[in-house]
Amino acid sequence: MNRKTSFIALALVAMFACSTPAQAQWGGLLNKARKAAGIKTKQEKAQDAAQQRRDSVLKAAAAITPTIPQAAESGQPITIKWGDTPIGTWDPVKLEITFNQTYDEGEFAGQKVKYILDPATGKFTSLNGIPKGSISNDGTIESPNLGTIKLDTKTNEVSMDGEVIGSVTKLRASCYGTDFGQLEGHVSPLLVAYIFHGALISKNQVQGWKEAEVKRTEEAKARAAKEKEERAARQEAAKKEWAELNVTIEDGSFRTIGRIKSNGTIEDGSFRTIGRVRQDGTVEDGSYRTIGHIRSNGTIEDGSFRTIGRFDGRLFEDGSFRTVGRMSGSTVEDDSFRTIGRIKGTSNKTLLAACFYFFYFKAQAESKK
């Protein structure tokens, strides 16, 4: 039985094995039978082909080493870009770099500028016979503009006069943190370093990018120092706030039912210490036993790390995301917008959440039992 006949037979068996006449059900059974027979749709075939192409490219790229390129048996010219602008091509078959600019004079006037690589020596020569530097398998690059530069074939860093000035991959080039060149196909990192660092940039450009990086680094340090200073100031302010807490919790009749005092000490309406709330959101009872957690993302947990609610600064929710309360100024409302109390003396989300869930919410839950 051929594959097509097998597929039809499987589809019929699947159809008669099911009692529902729904089109969706039939479609699902048809797909299962098709897959069982190993038959693929056009879309699946296209996806497989695309994946094979990607795998082929990755395999070819992995085989590339930072050495002098040798002539490929076949292949299309690869576009060379300065930033996002095409400026030429690299031909992996002819081993030629062709730039978009043309010769202004001489026998090649009007023709595009070309650098031709001798794969045996690593030397480049222009179309008009002028030497244009060379590359060596040890990473040494004789540059028309920068003189002798060096590619570290292990790290792909590019150095000039002993100082790292940039780096390359099989696709891109950068100088002092500025990405300035790319190719639309994988090639030897040695070739990338020659094209961009060796043939295209000047010492003035290198210096300009270096100064830009120094400026970025100094600005980043200044921002980091400022952020550190501001963070320390916030921490000091929070520490002071916690040391000077004077929060009052009232019920709907303006009767004080609790307080949060210095360093998070929680008192009941009779000034008896019944627990503490720490700056990190940990809530303890009078015996220092952890009975809850208030997370920075607004999640409220009990002592067993079970989520019992959430607070976003305005709405209180229970563990099922149902609104169980609201904050309106200092007024606390239930899910019916009825005033059930007030929290005075703080706008701190951690404290507001602690007050609600361990005074009002707990009391609501107890009253419903």
Side-chain angles (χ1 to χ4, degrees):
M1 185 180 293
N2 61 33
R3 291 181 67 208
K4 184 175 181 181
T5 305
S6 299
F7 171 62
I8 294 171
L10 285 167
L12 289 171
V13 169
M15 179 180 72
F16 287 111
C18 184
S19 60
T20 176
Q23 185 177 359
Q25 181 73 9
W26 163 244
L29 293 172
L30 197 63
N31 283 333
K32 289 180 180 179
R34 174 181 57 74
K35 290 180 179 178
I39 299 174
K40 295 184 177 182
T41 64
K42 288 183 178 180
Q43 182 180 4
E44 288 172 334
K45 290 178 180 178
Q47 289 172 342
D48 287 348
Q51 185 60 52
Q52 288 174 359
R53 287 193 295 271
R54 287 193 292 270
D55 291 344
S56 177
V57 170
L58 291 174
K59 183 178 179 180
I64 295 173
T65 58
T67 54
I68 299 171
Q70 301 299 300
E73 293 182 2
S74 62
Q76 296 298 315
I78 297 170
T79 300
I80 300 169
K81 291 183 174 182
W82 180 276
D84 293 323
T85 303
I87 60 169
T89 60
W90 160 252
D91 191 323
V93 177
K94 296 180 179 179
L95 301 181
E96 294 178 351
I97 301 170
T98 302
F99 295 104
N100 291 346
Q101 67 185 114
T102 59
Y103 291 103
D104 296 328
E105 54 188 22
E107 61 177 309
F108 299 105
Q111 294 188 40
K112 289 187 175 181
V113 174
K114 286 187 179 182
Y115 291 0
I116 303 163
L117 171 66
D118 181 342
T121 64
K123 293 181 179 180
F124 284 90
T125 305
S126 69
L127 189 61
N128 58 9
I130 299 175
K132 290 296 180 180
S134 64
I135 53 178
S136 301
N137 287 337
D138 67 358
T140 301
I141 299 170
E142 296 300 332
S143 161
N145 296 326
L146 302 185
T148 302
I149 59 177
K150 185 82 172 182
L151 171 70
D152 186 322
T153 56
K154 293 183 179 179
T155 66
N156 283 344
E157 291 179 331
V158 180
S159 299
M160 181 176 70
D161 298 330
E163 180 181 343
V164 174
I165 64 170
S167 64
V168 295
T169 67
K170 296 172 184 178
L171 291 170
R172 296 178 175 276
S174 66
C175 184
Y176 285 110
T178 298
D179 292 328
F180 67 95
Q182 59 180 313
L183 291 98
E184 291 190 342
H186 297 83
V187 301
S188 167
L190 185 62
L191 177 63
V192 177
Y194 171 80
I195 292 173
F196 293 106
H197 297 88
L200 291 177
I201 64 176
S202 66
K203 289 188 176 182
N204 284 339
Q205 285 172 306
V206 172
Q207 184 62 28
W209 282 324
K210 180 178 181 179
E211 291 172 358
E213 186 185 50
V214 169
K215 183 179 180 181
R216 286 195 302 270
T217 301
E218 291 175 347
E219 289 175 346
K221 286 182 179 179
R223 285 195 301 272
K226 183 179 180 181
E227 289 170 2
K228 182 179 180 181
E229 184 179 335
E230 291 174 346
R231 186 165 56 252
R234 288 194 299 271
Q235 291 172 346
E236 189 61 31
K239 183 178 179 181
K240 182 179 180 181
E241 176 194 16
W242 221 257
E244 299 175 353
L245 286 175
N246 187 20
V247 181
T248 303
I249 304 121
E250 299 177 346
D251 63 14
S253 301
F254 297 92
R255 183 174 60 90
T256 297
I257 57 174
R259 300 173 182 83
I260 299 181
K261 307 296 285 185
S262 175
N263 295 317
T265 300
I266 304 172
E267 300 175 346
D268 62 13
S270 301
F271 298 95
R272 182 173 60 92
T273 297
I274 58 173
R276 290 156 197 84
V277 56
R278 306 293 186 184
Q279 276 187 273
D280 65 0
T282 300
V283 181
E284 302 170 343
D285 64 13
S287 301
Y288 294 92
R289 181 175 61 92
T290 298
I291 58 172
H293 308 271
I294 302 163
R295 304 301 183 187
S296 59
N297 64 359
T299 300
I300 316 301
E301 300 171 348
D302 63 14
S304 301
F305 300 97
R306 181 176 62 92
T307 297
I308 60 173
R310 295 161 190 82
F311 178 51
D312 64 6
R314 188 178 70 89
L315 296 179
F316 298 102
E317 297 175 341
D318 63 13
S320 301
F321 295 94
R322 185 177 63 88
T323 298
V324 292
R326 295 173 177 80
M327 283 298 301
S328 179
S330 63
T331 301
V332 183
E333 300 172 343
D334 62 13
D335 57 328
S336 301
F337 296 93
R338 183 176 60 90
T339 296
I340 58 174
R342 294 159 193 81
I343 302 174
K344 298 179 178 179
T346 188
S347 59
N348 185 291
K349 285 176 61 176
T350 298
L351 293 174
L352 293 175
C355 292
F356 181 84
Y357 285 95
F358 297 99
F359 279 92
Y360 302 109
F361 184 66
K362 186 176 179 181
Q364 287 177 329
E366 289 295 329
S367 67
K368 291 178 181 178
K369 289 183 178 181

